[in-house]
Structures are given as C-alpha cells and as structure tokens.
Amino acid sequence: MDTDTSALLARHSEAIALFTERVHAIRDDQWDSPTPCTEWSVRDLVNHLTAEQLWVPDLVTDGSSMADVGDAYDGDVLGKRPRHTWDAASRAARKAFAAEGALRGTVQLSYGETPTTAYCAQMTTDAIVHGWDLSRAIGASERLPDALVHFALDEITPYAADLAKSGLFAPPIEPPPGDSAQSRLLALTGRRG
C-alpha cells in the first residue's frame, strides 16, 4: 500500500470515527432535532450517512453498479436501533475500502466509472462535513480536526461551485473575514461556522 493510499484510509477512518462519536452522543430526545441541512432532522442526517455506508461493500467489494443495487437503501435504513445500524454499516464500509487492492480499482457511480480512491475521498469528505452538521445539531464540539479539514478542503475546492447542483449542499457563501480553514470549508458547502 502506497503512502497516498495509506493517508486516504487514515483520513477515512478518522472521519468515520468522528461521525461515530457524534452518533453515540445523540440523546434520545434529539433524533427529531433540526440540522444545518434544512430538510433533514438528526435522524434524517444519520440515515443519509448510513445509507451511503451501506452502498460501499456493494460497489467496492461486489463490483455492483448503482443500477444493480437499485433502491435497496432508499427510505429509512436505521430501523429501531440507529446507533447499531450506523456502527455495522460504517464498519463494513471501512473494511471494504481497506481490503487488499480495493483502492486500486474502480466503482460504477451514477456519473460513470470512477477510481475507488476518488469514491473513498468523496465519502470521507461527506462524513467530515456532515460530522460538523451533526455536531451543531446536537450541541457537541463543532471543532473539526485540522487534518480532516485540510483533507476536505483539498477535495472540495476543485468542484465546490458544483456541490449545490447535487441537492445535498447549499450554495457556497462568502467566508467571514480572517477565516480559518474550517470556516472556508463550511462556507464552500454553504454553511456558517
């Protein structure tokens, strides 16, 4: 495994660990609370990230296309034990990305064949940004680790203007004066820190 691949897997594991920590900090009375993602409650946000993790073994390990998987992960995937479901899904995703040779391959995404490293980087960035969303929603520390912030900034900056088109991010906003790297990341994804 080369240095770049090792670094990518390290950032992915750190982002998933951060989100996992936040999922386990959700109080029972917070699942319906609003998040910075205006259409989503805390449960909706965790459900979104969990569904994303469920896709990983199908795409990376099994070589399935999105069409093959279809609507298997639409709707509520959390069930009655959302923390347990998140833990199992995120563990399976980490295992799929870390498998021997997995990051040397490609996956079939909605926009075509994509290097698995690019898919892993996107998934890592999504977990970082949504980790901040979840932190804000539940009143946890909103400070993201510097390594994760810089990873996400490097990943998002080239295509930041197109993020809003996905429907998952608000349009970019002007960062505050004297902004930090985290403020710039949040601004690129339509968030105010």
Side-chain angles (χ1 to χ4, degrees), residues 79-150:
K80 294 181 192 263
R81 299 175 63 200
R83 290 178 191 88
H84 173 78
T85 304
W86 162 259
D87 289 345
S90 63
R91 231 182 350 264
R94 280 194 323 271
K95 182 178 177 185
F97 281 131
E100 181 65 35
L103 293 181
R104 289 192 295 271
T106 60
V107 292
Q108 293 295 324
L109 301 179
S110 59
Y111 48 86
E113 189 171 343
T114 304
T116 307
T117 52
Y119 177 45
C120 184
Q122 292 166 14
M123 293 286 286
T124 302
T125 299
D126 206 38
I128 293 165
V129 173
H130 286 317
W132 180 86
D133 292 332
L134 186 54
S135 297
R136 173 155 283 191
I138 66 170
S141 170
E142 296 176 17
R143 178 84 171 101
L144 297 170
D146 288 342
L148 294 182
V149 169
H150 291 289

Side-chain angles (χ1 to χ4, degrees), residues 2-129:
D2 62 39
T3 304
D4 289 344
T5 302
S6 295
L8 174 57
L9 287 175
R11 295 299 85 77
H12 179 260
S13 290
E14 291 162 11
I16 294 299
L18 173 74
F19 199 83
T20 298
E21 182 181 293
R22 297 304 186 262
V23 168
H24 284 270
I26 299 168
R27 294 189 321 262
D28 289 342
D29 64 343
Q30 291 181 312
W31 287 98
D32 293 324
S33 296
T35 70
C37 304
T38 56
E39 303 297 314
W40 288 344
S41 67
V42 166
R43 185 179 176 92
D44 295 331
L45 177 63
V46 175
N47 188 72
H48 164 70
L49 259 291
T50 303
E52 283 195 340
Q53 306 316 304
L54 291 170
W55 279 93
V56 176
D58 291 333
L59 300 178
V60 175
T61 306
D62 299 340
S64 300
S65 69
M66 295 186 86
D68 293 335
V69 179
D71 62 1
Y73 306 123
D74 288 358
D76 178 26
V77 298
L78 292 178
K80 294 181 192 263
R81 299 175 63 200
R83 290 178 191 88
H84 173 78
T85 304
W86 162 259
D87 289 345
S90 63
R91 231 182 350 264
R94 280 194 323 271
K95 182 178 177 185
F97 281 131
E100 181 65 35
L103 293 181
R104 289 192 295 271
T106 60
V107 292
Q108 293 295 324
L109 301 179
S110 59
Y111 48 86
E113 189 171 343
T114 304
T116 307
T117 52
Y119 177 45
C120 184
Q122 292 166 14
M123 293 286 286
T124 302
T125 299
D126 206 38
I128 293 165
V129 173

